[in-house]
Amino acid sequence: MALDVTDLRSFYASSLGKTAHHLVCGHLARRWDNLAGLSVLGLGYATPYLDHFRGQALRLLAMMPAEQGVVNWPSDGASASALIDDTMLPLPDSCIDRVLLAHALETAEHPRELLEEVWRVLTPGGRLIVVAPNRSGLWARLDSTPFGHGRPFSRGQLHDLMRETLFSPVYWSEALYTPPFNRAVVLRLAPAIESVSAKLSLPGAGVVLVEATKQLYRLVGVRRIRRSLPELAPALTPALSPRPLGSGRDVA
């Protein structure tokens, strides 16, 4: 079940939420360092991360599922957010260059259908980043943060889901090694904890990040099977039928 949008907004306004945003956004910024001329879509509750790309991308859109609710975004200027059905995106085919799923896949009723819709709206060669709770992480075990709600995923489960929906993973990473405790000393040490844990590839990260590209499958053509045709004997010349009586003049 999707979280209420007010709870998500409150979390990212807290000290713990700001720390989580900073740690996750570092990975996103490294992967998408140049969005000039590109259209970017955030699905779920991705607006805290989309803020980082303002002024870079040609177009930024934020779409939130009806079960969650929607907030106006950005706070200044024309609104670029919309309330949607996550299995029927109100977009034409192949119109988006980058899609970010945050607080979306784990709460989707039909995650495969959601990814199929993302595949539909992505341009050929377009890229998707999924930020999903890690099944083996501490953040998924505590419901005090949004990452503790919904269905967490292992890397293997995400890989299978990507393959089933015709996405090809090109990058894997993990974030939020810092315990999900809103304490000043923990938050102060968060960057150091994150750096050391990532270098040592320690288990127990809070979220798994996967970047994947849209695969285009060409329909397999029907094979031309050469069959050995039987040798045919020359056809007999048909005999002329007799001329009907009275059809011509008699020769004297």
Side-chain angles (χ1 to χ4, degrees):
M1 180 179 179
L3 286 169
D4 188 87
V5 70
T6 57
D7 296 329
L8 289 159
R9 184 168 53 181
S10 297
F11 168 74
Y12 280 102
S14 68
S15 298
L16 180 60
K18 291 177 181 177
T19 299
H21 164 262
H22 174 73
L23 297 176
V24 173
C25 204
H27 292 267
L28 302 178
R30 286 191 292 272
R31 296 306 302 173
W32 292 350
D33 58 346
N34 184 11
L35 297 178
L38 301 181
S39 297
V40 180
L41 168 65
L43 278 176
Y45 191 78
T47 52
Y49 306 107
L50 291 180
D51 279 329
H52 175 79
F53 301 114
R54 292 187 66 190
Q56 301 180 32
L58 173 66
R59 185 179 297 105
L60 286 172
L61 300 173
M63 295 188 177
M64 307 179 192
E67 298 83 2
Q68 169 191 291
V70 65
V71 294
N72 181 55
W73 181 86
S75 57
D76 56 325
S79 178
S81 60
L83 194 68
I84 52 93
D85 179 344
D86 58 10
T87 61
M88 296 179 63
L89 300 181
L91 293 170
D93 297 351
S94 303
C95 66
I96 299 293
D97 301 294
R98 299 288 186 270
V99 175
L100 171 63
L101 261 63
H103 304 294
L105 196 64
E106 66 269 26
T107 56
E109 186 175 355
H110 304 289
R112 180 170 178 173
E113 292 183 15
L114 169 59
L115 289 179
E116 288 174 348
E117 271 294 275
V118 171
W119 192 95
R120 181 183 66 81
V121 302
L122 268 177
T123 58
R127 299 209 167 199
L128 157 73
I129 289 184
V130 176
V131 181
N134 183 7
R135 179 174 292 277
S136 61
L138 183 59
W139 289 70
R141 301 169 188 265
L142 302 176
D143 61 3
S144 55
T145 76
F147 298 102
H149 295 259
R151 180 193 307 103
F153 292 89
S154 66
R155 183 178 292 200
Q157 289 171 326
L158 282 175
H159 183 274
D160 292 342
L161 196 54
M162 293 288 119
R163 183 177 58 185
E164 291 172 2
T165 50
L166 308 185
F167 283 102
S168 178
V170 295
Y171 171 80
W172 293 90
S173 188
E174 295 178 338
L176 301 187
Y177 291 95
T178 303
F181 303 136
N182 201 4
R183 299 175 184 174
V185 63
V186 174
L187 301 181
R188 191 163 53 248
L189 293 174
I193 295 173
E194 200 78 5
S195 177
V196 172
S197 300
K199 289 179 180 178
L200 298 177
S201 299
L202 297 179
V207 296
V208 178
L209 295 95
V210 54
E211 182 179 17
T213 60
K214 176 179 178 176
Q215 289 183 348
L216 289 176
Y217 283 102
R218 184 175 58 185
L219 292 177
V220 178
V222 179
R223 294 180 181 178
R224 293 184 177 180
I225 303 176
R226 293 185 176 180
R227 297 178 180 177
S228 56
L229 297 176
E231 294 184 3
L232 299 178
L236 297 176
T237 303
L240 295 176
S241 58
R243 182 178 298 175
L245 294 177
S247 61
R249 294 182 299 176
D250 295 332
V251 180

